[in-house]
Amino acid sequence: MKKLLLFSLIFTFTISLSTEAQRKNSKDKSNQDTSKTKKSKTPKYSDFVTSETKTDDGLFKVHETKDKFMYEIPKSHFGKEMLLVTRIKELPSGLGGGYVNAGSKINTQVVVWEQFKNKILLKVKSYNAIANDSLPIYKSVKANNLEPVIYAFEIKTQNTDSTAVIVDVTKFFSTDVKAISGLPSSYRSRYKVRRLDASRSFINSIKSYPKNIEVIQDFSFDSDAPPSNRSTNTITMRINQSMILLPENPMMPRIYDKRVGYFSLGNVDYSSEALKADDKRYIRRWRLEPKDPAAYARGELVEPIKPIVYYLDPATPEKLRKYIKQGVDDWQTVFETAGFKNAIMAKMPPTAEEDPEFSMEDVRYSSIRYVASTTRNAVGPSVSDPRSGEILESDIIWYHNHLRSYRNRYLLETGAANPSARTLNTPDEEIGDMMRMVIAHEVGHALGLPHNMAASFAYPTDSLRSGSFTQKNGIAATIMDYARYNYVAQPGDKNIRFIRQLGPYDHYSINWGYRKIPNISYPEQEVRTLDKWISEKAGDPIYRFGAQRFDPSAQTEGIGNDQVKSSTYGVKNLKIVAKNLPNWTSNQTNDYNDLSELYGELLSVWSRYVGHVTGNIGGIYEYNKKPAQTGDVYQVVSKAKQKEALNWLLKNVFETQDWLLDKNILNKINETGYTERMLGYQNRSLRTLLNSRTLNRMINAEIIDANTYAASDMVRDLRRGVFSETNTTKNVSIFRRNLQKSFISVLGSLLNNKSTNNYDISSIARGELESLKYQLNVASKRGVNRITKYHYKDALAMVNDILDPK
């Protein structure tokens, strides 16, 4: 029994020791495994940057391994402000309704990279609200403008000396991140976009340069209503993301003044000691600083430290390169007015042998791209620093087919007085001159200048028929107007310049925006000098800036300071062109395609001339001024001018224009549609005159000018002119029948428009419909042909239905 007990004790002890040993061994093994696991879970730099990795060094190092992209972000760049620009690089036909092109910017935002624990945050920084960081209110501005985080990246590892972190950007750039999407919400709704298809979307490339990183993404979206290729149910786009390091020291901004045309950007400054925050606005311009400030201060011409250089796309046809270069270099003499020589120039890019690192995508280089596209356009976009307005780079885009538009317009607008335009094969030098001026116009945009549609109103209409005047002054005071051709000059006028050119306003605006003002520490100190420069030119129409809105002196495509006279000359020329159009086109080509195209554009040109006259009715001139200047800011167009304009329209638009209905053209290009097309053009004028905005201005004008053209008088005169046949036994043509019914329909819309706040408009509409009711009732009983009688009865029924709806 004792032996048995002893054995049991020994056995128990042995088992216990064995169990403990197993536990110890298991624990040791577990510790070893944990140690190994921990060791294996700590990624090393070499895990991500391997022998298979392609590395591109620049602003950040970009590492590409198979389908993965990594950014190596220096810690010294945390918190530094960068500009993230989302642009469309390539797009499907019809996207945006034809108003969006390759190169169009979709979004521009300031971003910063910041570390939070084990993540790197990409945050959007706004400059809509600002305050001096030394003031207490700065804290409130920060608290009430929290910066959104658009993406959070996990830190994968650090580089070998721990000065940079590695993050994976593959998912950020290959998925549908709305903050950087090339497809805005409005497009998603219009085209019924359901989702981004990841299987057909990928990162095309990421390239790093010293001051920027360029990402190209290929995205395919599932869409139930794509703008083109509808059977595919797909929208495929190529998007370009540019991330640009902003200057360490922002350029001193120049305060915007609406009396001189500049693109601008603004913010709300809470640093003001006034009783409200200040709305501040700065012009957009390049940073030009003289190499020799002392010589510049003495009034000598001085080269800038960094000139504006545009590189021509190597894809540009060789015969066109000199004209593009001239269009850029033409601005050199303009900058001399501001004290800078050789401030801007165009060059061919260096070859791969000369500079293997050169790339058009590099933000350090601005370019003029030649795009193989059927789009008829050219654009001059630029990227600017939102803190100061400094333009950082610009890529002007020229689309291949754009010159065709200029050839067509040249023939139509100048062919009557200009023998060399009467052909489909315009001489190379003249085509080149047109291209040169288009490039100069787009360069103007890239320099910060918007359209100045008032510049063409600066020159007297009859001066445009003078050879000596046009050769010296061109046809408008600036290249930034849409005054493309001299359509006023008549057959027999000698030595006329027909193509636009740079003018005196360009020198004035560049001097105002770019000249360095000495002994200045902050923008407000410049205002007195800037005001003085404007005051010196005040009252001279050559130096006036006008935005295209309700002002008839600031209309697109117009020339001369008397639109009625200019359009009279223009229509007179168009009649000659219309008569000769088959001889200048189809008779030469044995093909009707050009005749059809040019006839359609001839109608558009006629419609533009008409629009210039229409704008006078209800028009208000705008002369932007400061209180120290004399005179009113807004002046109503005189009653005499408005009545002259209406009478011109009654004769040249609302009467049937038989010269536009030449059967020798119509029966060659279309089997039908003549009446609908003409009514469409007539309706443009009709709806402009009977637009609630036009009538509103006329009604309000009566308050400040008792002798103005009253809205009720204008509508009465228009009704009498449109329905002039009702006072006679004349039959009404099909074109007039359509116009008269359209007039009734528009009056009906005015009568039933519940959104207007000016009830006089409905009163005028009702009064004229009542007058028309009586007029039609009498006319329907006169001796006219059957269709005219039917028309009068139908028109009367329309009026009755509007006045007394069942």
Side-chain angles (χ1 to χ4, degrees), residues 282-302:
Y282 304 118
I283 68 171
R284 294 176 56 193
R285 57 178 181 158
W286 295 79
R287 187 188 296 214
L288 289 184
E289 297 171 336
K291 285 182 178 178
D292 187 342
Y296 186 89
R298 291 193 299 269
E300 299 175 23
L301 288 179
V302 176

Side-chain angles (χ1 to χ4, degrees), residues 56-57 208-209 351-352 354-360 362 364-365:
D56 191 15
D57 200 357
S208 189
Y209 302 98
T351 63
E354 293 169 334
D355 185 355
E357 296 297 315
F358 181 88
S359 171
M360 288 284 204
D362 192 332
R364 293 175 298 171
Y365 308 116

Side-chain angles (χ1 to χ4, degrees), residues 385-607:
D385 185 340
R387 304 168 304 174
S388 65
E390 178 187 354
I391 297 174
L392 303 173
E393 68 92 33
S394 165
D395 293 300
I396 293 169
I397 300 172
W398 176 278
Y399 298 95
H400 179 70
N401 277 21
H402 197 33
L403 279 176
R404 187 176 181 89
S405 294
Y406 278 83
R407 180 207 68 177
N408 290 357
R409 293 277 297 274
Y410 193 53
L411 183 152
L412 295 169
E413 296 188 33
T414 77
N418 179 13
S420 66
R422 301 167 188 167
T423 175
L424 297 175
N425 299 308
T426 312
D428 286 348
E429 282 301 315
E430 291 172 49
I431 281 286
D433 197 16
M434 297 174 208
M435 187 177 201
R436 172 182 180 178
M437 294 307 153
V438 178
I439 291 295
H441 178 93
E442 300 305 335
V443 170
H445 284 321
L447 295 173
L449 305 180
H451 291 134
N452 179 9
M453 300 305 185
S456 53
F457 198 74
Y459 294 162
T461 294
D462 282 325
S463 293
L464 301 175
R465 297 188 59 186
S466 164
S468 58
F469 182 90
T470 55
Q471 291 297 342
K472 178 183 178 182
N473 301 290
I475 59 177
T478 175
I479 194 71
M480 302 314 298
D481 199 321
Y482 265 3
R484 303 176 199 270
Y485 296 115
N486 186 346
Y487 60 80
V488 163
Q490 296 294 291
D493 294 343
K494 304 296 184 183
N495 193 33
I496 298 295
R497 178 164 180 86
F498 289 100
I499 301 170
R500 59 182 169 172
Q501 64 186 31
L502 280 84
Y505 176 85
D506 299 311
H507 291 260
Y508 164 71
S509 60
I510 289 296
N511 181 74
W512 189 91
Y514 280 87
R515 178 170 285 279
K516 299 288 288 185
I517 301 175
N519 306 317
I520 295 298
S521 303
Y522 53 90
E524 287 73 14
Q525 287 182 305
E526 293 186 328
V527 172
R528 179 176 293 182
T529 300
L530 297 172
D531 276 353
K532 179 175 175 289
W533 292 345
I534 294 173
S535 296
E536 289 172 350
K537 304 294 185 183
D540 189 335
I542 287 174
Y543 303 106
R544 174 175 168 243
F545 175 74
Q548 181 193 6
R549 292 186 294 167
F550 45 76
D551 186 341
S553 68
Q555 298 191 75
T556 181
E557 311 283 357
I559 59 173
N561 67 348
D562 184 334
Q563 292 97 340
V564 174
K565 183 181 285 188
S566 294
S567 290
T568 299
Y569 282 135
V571 169
K572 189 176 179 181
N573 282 337
L574 274 184
K575 289 178 179 179
I576 296 172
V577 172
K579 186 176 181 180
N580 288 280
L581 201 56
N583 187 46
W584 297 346
T585 57
S586 55
N587 290 0
Q588 304 299 317
T589 63
N590 197 30
D591 187 291
Y592 291 123
N593 290 335
D594 287 296
L595 176 63
S596 178
E597 180 180 330
L598 281 158
Y599 174 73
E601 291 195 30
L602 183 143
L603 289 174
S604 296
V605 171
W606 169 71
S607 182

